[in-house]
Amino acid sequence: MKILTVCKSTTKNLHDQILSENNTTIPVFSLNGLFSSLNLVVNYAYIHDQTYHIVVSNQDSFAFCPHCGCKSSKCHSRYTRILYDLPISEYKVKLLFQVRKFFCSNPECNTKTFAEQPSKDIQPYQRNTTRFKNKLVSLASCMSSNQAERQLRMFDRKISGRTLLRYLHQVQVPEHKTITQVGVDDWAKRKGINYGSVLIDIKTKSFVGLLNGREKEDFATWLEQHPMVELVSRDRASAYSAAVAEALPEITEVADRFHLAKNMSDCLLNMLREKEVEYQEVIRKMRLDDYLERHPSSDETDDLSLCRDVVYYDFFVNQMKLSQIRKRLREKGLDFSNEAFMYRYGNLIRWRRRVVVDFNAQPPPPILPLYTPQMLTIIIGKHIRGKTISESAKRVIRGLMKYSWFKYIYSATKEFIEWLQKKDVELLTNWVNRYVKSKEAFIKTLARGIRHDIEAVKNALMYEVSNGVVEGYVNKLKTVKRTMYGRASVELLERKMYLNDYRLFN
């Protein structure tokens, strides 16, 4: 082994400089300091096969019987036990622990001899120290066991995925018996097939546990085991509400404001889907008028000029292709060539695609996009909240305001957002009473659902409680589940979520 020598004078000067700056003494480093927390003393050490072999023994001359707790100093025999510890630099560390067996001095104890246990970091029958095992558990909690096994092989540690899984299953998730405010939401084990429930402590924003289902019986059983719960924050699912009513009726239920806004957004989206044909035709007519204003009719009187209005209407309003329009005109007996037709109306395609062929020419005017129901729902929400939207979007909303059905949808959404933002119970009551008999089926259903869950919705306006932290944990749960390729059991997912939340192992 090559040893690098350092100049004695240089080392002494550096040592004196550090002492003068810190005005203190520097503790001398020794190998025993690495294992003082294990209550072990190093006898000697050597390097073999890229591994530090460190022979250690218990620094105490006595031991306590693990069965009766009696102190004993009478040694029976010795044997060597192999343990793996945290690596030092790029070398593995193998502890050769010289274990002593003692006679139990208690005559009433059934155990005659026992092996010493120097500290809690060295467990019986374990091949790894507890601190090394904790690092392995921390690694396995962030990825699948197979991935963790491959990562350890990169560091020349051959630990199987089954061993890592066994370590994970040994972790105990606390019961949280004193929890008073809990947030609950569902998560998909297999989307569209079966679901579970995730529970979060609202006060500490920490993970509590997972339930194997989202039915009423699952959550009611958990509430009966935790009688100190005073408040439940939930979405508007009826199963959780029924579980609270069955287990602990005195619990305060709070409906999540995000889910209330999501319910209104879904209601608006469904109504726009029903009216999609109507509002898309309105937008096409607006596009046609906009084009005609910028391109006045010419004085030519040939066949193609006479059918100009038909071409524009079919192209913008009926949204037909130019090839289809050309075919229809020929069927009506109009005689023209394809080259002449495209020379006259080919600019419509360039105008729609926003393509400028001549770079010296002026760019084409902005086009009103044919918004999907999802896009129009977002635009309406932003317009009501006073957020910035494009000029074309504002023109579309102004154009649709001329129609009674859109004005009704817009006003219902605006009033809903108003009482939700102001947290006004009186505005909530007025909105429910006004739209509970609405002719629009989706608004009527939403108003009836809120009236049925009115107490939880009122509490949502009065309490500063949000289910947002629960939604965040649901997203984290999806990530953890995907690292296991969707094959992890609920018990294993629960332990991984607990380890990722509390950061037990540094």
Side-chain angles (χ1 to χ4, degrees):
M1 185 186 210
K2 187 177 181 180
I3 300 176
L4 297 177
T5 60
V6 183
C7 179
K8 184 182 296 184
S9 61
T10 305
T11 306
K12 184 178 184 303
N13 293 336
L14 178 63
H15 183 269
D16 294 340
Q17 181 182 353
I18 296 175
L19 284 178
S20 61
E21 289 178 356
N22 297 327
N23 195 21
T24 182
T25 58
I26 301 176
V28 179
F29 171 78
S30 66
L31 198 58
N32 285 323
L34 298 178
F35 306 100
S36 59
S37 61
L38 303 181
N39 200 27
L40 298 176
V41 61
V42 178
N43 299 330
Y44 60 93
Y46 61 92
I47 300 176
H48 176 69
D49 194 18
Q50 297 294 316
T51 304
Y52 283 118
H53 294 74
I54 304 176
V55 181
V56 294
S57 59
N58 190 359
Q59 61 183 4
D60 297 327
S61 60
F62 56 87
F64 293 94
C65 177
H67 301 281
C68 65
C70 185
K71 182 178 178 180
S72 176
S73 301
K74 188 176 181 180
C75 183
H76 172 270
S77 59
R78 301 172 185 267
Y79 67 94
T80 301
R81 179 181 173 188
I82 298 177
L83 293 165
Y84 289 94
D85 198 18
L86 293 172
I88 300 177
S89 186
E90 71 272 14
Y91 293 97
K92 295 185 293 184
V93 174
K94 180 185 289 187
L95 300 182
L96 305 178
F97 179 30
Q98 296 180 344
V99 186
R100 294 170 296 178
K101 294 185 70 174
F102 288 88
F103 288 102
C104 183
S105 57
N106 185 4
E108 298 181 357
C109 183
N110 295 328
T111 302
K112 299 302 179 184
T113 61
F114 62 90
E116 62 179 344
Q117 299 295 330
S119 67
K120 294 181 179 179
D121 286 335
I122 299 179
Q123 297 294 329
Y125 309 108
Q126 293 290 332
R127 298 296 302 273
N128 301 310
T129 60
T130 302
R131 62 186 183 184
F132 182 45
K133 177 182 173 182
N134 289 344
K135 295 296 182 182
L136 296 177
V137 172
S138 180
L139 177 65
S141 66
C142 301
M143 59 186 71
S144 67
S145 59
N146 292 333
Q147 281 183 307
E149 180 182 355
R150 289 192 292 269
Q151 290 287 334
L152 290 170
R153 284 182 179 177
M154 293 174 60
F155 298 98
D156 198 22
R157 295 309 306 264
K158 296 181 181 180
I159 300 177
S160 67
R162 291 179 179 272
T163 300
L164 297 174
L165 283 177
R166 186 170 65 252
Y167 287 166
L168 283 172
H169 280 290
Q170 291 173 1
V171 175
Q172 297 296 325
V173 180
E175 291 293 331
H176 293 89
K177 291 293 185 180
T178 59
I179 184 173
T180 57
Q181 296 183 3
V182 62
V184 60
D185 200 359
D186 58 353
W187 60 280
K189 291 186 284 186
R190 296 178 65 191
K191 191 171 182 179
I193 300 177
N194 49 6
Y195 290 81
S197 299
V198 58
L199 304 170
I200 305 299
D201 190 341
I202 297 295
K203 280 188 175 181
T204 61
K205 298 182 180 180
S206 57
F207 177 76
V208 174
L210 297 178
L211 301 181
N212 202 18
R214 62 174 181 178
E215 304 300 326
K216 178 183 71 173
E217 294 78 11
D218 301 311
F219 190 46
T221 303
W222 186 89
L223 287 175
E224 291 173 355
Q225 297 172 356
H226 298 77
M228 295 186 67
V229 175
E230 300 173 354
L231 184 144
V232 172
S233 176
R234 57 172 176 80
D235 60 6
R236 301 204 44 250
S238 58
Y240 297 134
S241 179
V244 172
E246 178 180 326
L248 298 171
E250 65 276 7
I251 290 180
T252 302
E253 297 181 65
V254 179
D256 184 42
R257 290 188 294 273
F258 168 79
H259 285 90
L260 286 170
K262 183 69 167 58
N263 294 148
M264 186 66 230
S265 177
D266 294 340
C267 177
L268 177 61
L269 176 61
N270 291 328
M271 288 188 291
L272 289 176
R273 281 174 177 168
E274 279 194 345
K275 303 289 185 179
E276 184 176 6
V277 177
E278 298 182 30
Y279 82 75
Q280 295 287 22
E281 185 176 355
V282 172
I283 296 177
R284 294 191 190 103
K285 287 182 179 179
M286 293 171 63
R287 291 175 61 178
L288 174 60
D289 296 339
D290 182 63
Y291 186 83
L292 293 178
E293 287 180 4
R294 289 176 170 81
H295 300 79
S297 59
S298 62
D299 296 332
E300 300 179 10
T301 57
D302 57 355
D303 291 341
L304 288 177
S305 299
L306 293 175
C307 63
R308 172 178 177 274
D309 293 339
V310 176
V311 174
Y312 285 176
Y313 189 84
D314 287 342
F315 184 79
F316 286 105
V317 179
N318 296 331
Q319 210 174 14
M320 295 175 62
K321 296 181 180 179
L322 289 181
S323 59
Q324 296 174 335
I325 299 173
R326 185 176 67 239
K327 183 177 180 182
R328 286 182 58 184
L329 293 176
R330 280 191 165 184
E331 290 176 354
K332 292 181 179 180
L334 294 176
D335 186 17
F336 53 84
S337 64
N338 294 337
E339 292 79 5
F341 183 85
M342 293 304 297
Y343 178 79
R344 181 63 60 83
Y345 298 110
N347 63 327
L348 296 180
I349 298 178
R350 294 192 297 272
W351 191 76
R352 172 183 285 177
R353 295 177 180 175
R354 303 185 184 186
V355 175
V356 182
V357 179
D358 185 4
F359 293 98
N360 296 323
Q362 294 294 328
I367 303 173
L368 291 175
L370 295 176
Y371 296 108
T372 62
Q374 292 85 351
M375 294 172 61
L376 191 56
T377 301
I378 296 173
I379 289 172
I380 292 174
K382 287 184 176 181
H383 190 264
I384 292 174
R385 291 181 173 89
K387 296 185 178 180
T388 305
I389 58 176
S390 62
E391 289 297 326
S392 60
K394 292 179 181 178
R395 289 178 56 200
V396 169
I397 291 180
R398 286 196 299 268
L400 292 175
M401 278 295 186
K402 300 176 183 178
Y403 298 88
S404 59
W405 60 267
F406 183 81
K407 189 179 294 184
Y408 181 81
I409 293 173
Y410 187 90
S411 62
T413 307
K414 185 176 182 179
E415 292 173 14
F416 186 95
I417 294 176
E418 183 179 2
W419 66 255
L420 188 59
Q421 287 183 337
K422 293 183 178 180
K423 300 180 181 179
D424 195 324
V425 177
E426 184 178 354
L427 293 178
L428 162 65
T429 307
N430 295 337
W431 189 91
V432 172
N433 294 335
R434 181 178 304 173
Y435 292 101
V436 76
K437 297 181 181 179
S438 173
K439 294 181 180 179
E440 293 288 343
F442 294 108
I443 292 185
K444 182 179 179 179
T445 302
L446 176 61
R448 287 187 173 183
I450 292 178
R451 186 176 65 176
H452 180 73
D453 201 20
I454 191 65
E455 291 301 324
V457 177
K458 287 181 178 179
N459 290 334
L461 305 181
M462 293 186 293
Y463 288 86
E464 290 297 329
V465 175
S466 172
N467 230 36
V469 63
V470 186
E471 295 293 335
Y473 274 98
V474 171
N475 290 333
K476 177 186 278 189
L477 179 59
K478 292 177 183 178
T479 304
V480 174
K481 183 167 69 75
R482 285 164 186 160
T483 61
M484 300 290 291
Y485 306 99
R487 296 181 296 178
S489 63
V490 176
E491 292 78 12
L492 181 58
L493 282 176
E494 186 176 42
R495 284 163 173 79
K496 284 201 168 192
M497 287 290 293
Y498 169 70
L499 293 172
N500 280 280
D501 179 37
Y502 282 89
R503 307 291 181 186
L504 295 179
F505 312 114
N506 298 322

